[in-house]
Each structure stands twice: as C-alpha cells, then as structure tokens.
Amino acid sequence: MFKFTEEQIKRYARHIILPEVGGKGQEKLLNSKVLVVGAGGLGSPAIFYLAAAGVGTIGIVDFDVVDFSNLQRQILHDTERVGIPKVESARMTVEKLNPDVKVITYNTMLNKSNIMDIIKDYDVVLDGTDNFPTRFLINDACYFANKPLVSAAMLRFEGQITVFDFRDKEHSPCYRCLFPEPPPPGLVPSCQEAGILGSIGGIMGCIQATEAIKLLLGIGEPLVGKLLIMDALSMDFRKVKLRKDPSCPLCSQKASIKELIEYEQICDVHF
C-alpha cells in the first residue's frame, strides 16, 4: 500500500477528500505519465496544472526557445528565460512547483521516425502544437499506439477541445474524421497574422489538463465524440457531437492509411 509523506498529504489534501479521487486516485496520478507536445499557449497551463495535481511523470516536447512574444500567454516562461529552450524553462518551473514530478524533456521536432518511440511509455498525450502537419502526425501515432489524445486549438477569441480515446477505436472518432488531410497553405491564418487573446490558452489548457486527469482516474465523461467550442467574446460554450466518419482514411473499415505520414511543415497556425 502506498504511503504518503506528511508533506504529500498536505499538498494533495483537496484531492484526497474528493470521493472520486481519494488516496487511491492520488496514488494513481503519482504513478501516471502524461506527454505534452508543445510548451506554448496551450501546453503552459496544461503542464502547470498536471504538475500541481501530482502527475508523477510529465514529458514535454518542444524545439523552440522562449521569445518575448510568447510571454503574453505562455505562463511557464518569464522574461529572464528569453532565449533558452522552452523545454528547459518548463522543467525549471515544474521542479519549483512540485518536487514529486519527474520531468522528461524532448528538445526536438516530432517526426515519423521518433514519435512512436517518444509516446510509447505515456498513458495520455496532450496536443498543444501550432501546426497542422504535427497535429495529424500526433493523431495518427496515438491511433496506432492505442493512446488517448487530448487535442485543443485556439485562435483570436475562440478555442476548441476534444478527446480521442484510441483505447476504444470502435467508438472513438479521430482527428481525420474532422479533417481528412491538412488544409492548403494560407487557408487558416496564423496567430501571428490573426492574433490571440492570451487568456484563451489558459482556459483551453486547463480544460486539457482536466480531461487528462479524468482519463487517468477513469472518472466522469471525457469529451470523447464531442467537440467543445468556446467563444470568449460572448462567453458561450457549446458542444458539437463528433461521429466516426465511415470513410475516414485512418479509423474506418475503409482505411487507406496504414503507416505514419509526414506532411510538409507549411501550415503554421500558432496557438
């Protein structure tokens, strides 16, 4: 039986008193592993709250460095860290917040030759990336590896999030059920072109962390088969039902995609 230290009992007290979590649930979190791809506007709040919750191992993938333009929304980083790799800045923040958490950093760009090896040991994957080719690569890799995927996106004053639980491929749709292929270049504006309200990342990233924790604990109803859409200007939240596409090139009986595809990095949509 797991024995919490006195400090851990104090740290996680508000979790432990929740009937849905309790001591067993907190022990499960401490033994869980979550991979977050992108330490930016979405990944920052998600990583913060996963670490605060006591998720025992957090993997962080990002190959960028901290820039002044990031600080408006990427709360893992600060002014003194401008110019250093985002994964290192993220590690420093998490280690100060919670010494229970082991941080594994991947200062690299995901590609079809490394993604399967990176995701294989994690229980849940969070997609906080800023380009369509990587989003499709993550979706396909999680599908082939049977990994649950929490996917979010944001632009201007809007955000959206869904969960693809590839442990149950029969019932869960995938990202390609929404978009069979990446859109043509220039169709979707980047955040550099269209802008983004920084706090949108906080909202969507926190929801990502919450969905990941629900998946790890097996509680509640994760957003599988549902797309949650937020409009911050009206503060409207609505859910759209997602169904498996019977002609999906990845997850249907007519699937034509049998291995990872690496699309050219030309569709930049900063989140």
Side-chain angles (χ1 to χ4, degrees):
M1 180 164 175
F2 187 86
K3 290 186 178 180
F4 293 98
T5 66
E6 187 173 336
E7 182 179 292
Q8 287 175 324
I9 292 172
K10 292 178 181 178
R11 181 183 291 272
Y12 306 119
R14 302 302 188 275
H15 272 180
I16 293 171
I17 62 174
L18 289 170
E20 295 84 354
V21 182
K24 288 184 178 179
Q26 189 60 53
E27 178 184 355
K28 185 177 286 188
L29 290 178
L30 287 164
N31 290 323
S32 295
K33 299 179 179 180
V34 174
L35 181 71
V36 181
V37 186
L42 292 165
S44 283
I47 291 166
F48 237 127
Y49 272 98
L50 290 171
V55 171
T57 301
I58 300 177
I60 305 172
V61 184
D62 203 304
F63 63 93
D64 201 2
V65 298
V66 179
D67 183 81
F68 278 110
S69 65
N70 303 148
L71 303 181
Q72 166 252 16
R73 64 200 177 282
Q74 300 182 16
I75 58 173
L76 280 175
H77 318 300
D78 59 40
T79 305
E80 292 182 355
R81 297 182 192 166
V82 168
I84 75 170
K86 285 184 182 179
V87 291
E88 289 306 309
S89 175
R91 179 188 56 77
M92 292 162 65
T93 300
V94 170
E95 288 179 350
K96 285 184 179 180
L97 176 64
N98 191 347
D100 287 342
V101 180
K102 177 183 178 182
V103 179
I104 302 174
T105 60
Y106 305 88
N107 188 17
T108 185
M109 179 187 291
L110 286 181
N111 55 56
K112 68 178 184 180
S113 66
N114 66 13
I115 189 169
M116 298 304 289
D117 188 55
I118 289 175
I119 71 172
K120 64 182 174 62
D121 294 325
Y122 290 92
D123 303 305
V124 177
V125 178
L126 271 63
D127 181 359
T129 57
D130 62 1
N131 64 84
F132 282 111
T134 307
R135 296 174 75 79
F136 278 87
L137 181 67
I138 294 169
N139 173 78
D140 297 358
C142 287
Y143 178 81
F144 290 131
N146 306 315
K147 302 288 184 180
L149 171 62
V150 184
S151 179
M154 61 183 186
L155 191 67
R156 291 177 51 80
F157 299 93
E158 299 179 355
Q160 62 184 42
I161 180 171
T162 187
V163 174
F164 306 118
D165 192 349
F166 296 131
R167 297 171 300 183
D168 183 7
K169 294 179 180 178
E170 183 179 349
H171 297 99
S172 177
C174 78
Y175 193 67
R176 288 183 184 271
C177 293
L178 275 173
F179 309 106
E181 293 184 345
L187 182 64
V188 180
S190 70
C191 129
Q192 191 172 4
E193 295 167 329
I196 178 69
L197 184 68
S199 58
I200 304 299
I203 297 168
M204 303 314 296
C206 287
I207 296 175
Q208 277 190 289
T210 303
E211 289 297 298
I213 290 169
K214 287 161 59 181
L215 289 166
L216 293 171
L217 296 178
I219 62 174
E221 295 181 14
L223 288 167
V224 179
K226 302 166 191 171
L227 180 68
L228 179 66
I229 302 171
M230 180 196 70
D231 181 344
L233 289 180
S234 59
M235 203 46 75
D236 285 332
F237 286 79
R238 60 190 178 97
K239 287 181 186 175
V240 177
K241 189 157 189 174
L242 295 184
R243 291 182 172 86
K244 286 180 68 69
D245 180 356
S247 300
C248 177
L250 179 70
C251 71
S252 72
Q253 292 184 350
K254 302 176 182 178
S256 57
I257 298 174
K258 304 296 184 181
E259 60 184 21
L260 295 176
I261 299 173
E262 196 161 271
Y263 295 103
E264 188 178 352
Q265 295 278 354
I266 52 179
C267 306
D268 194 29
V269 273
H270 279 281
F271 299 139

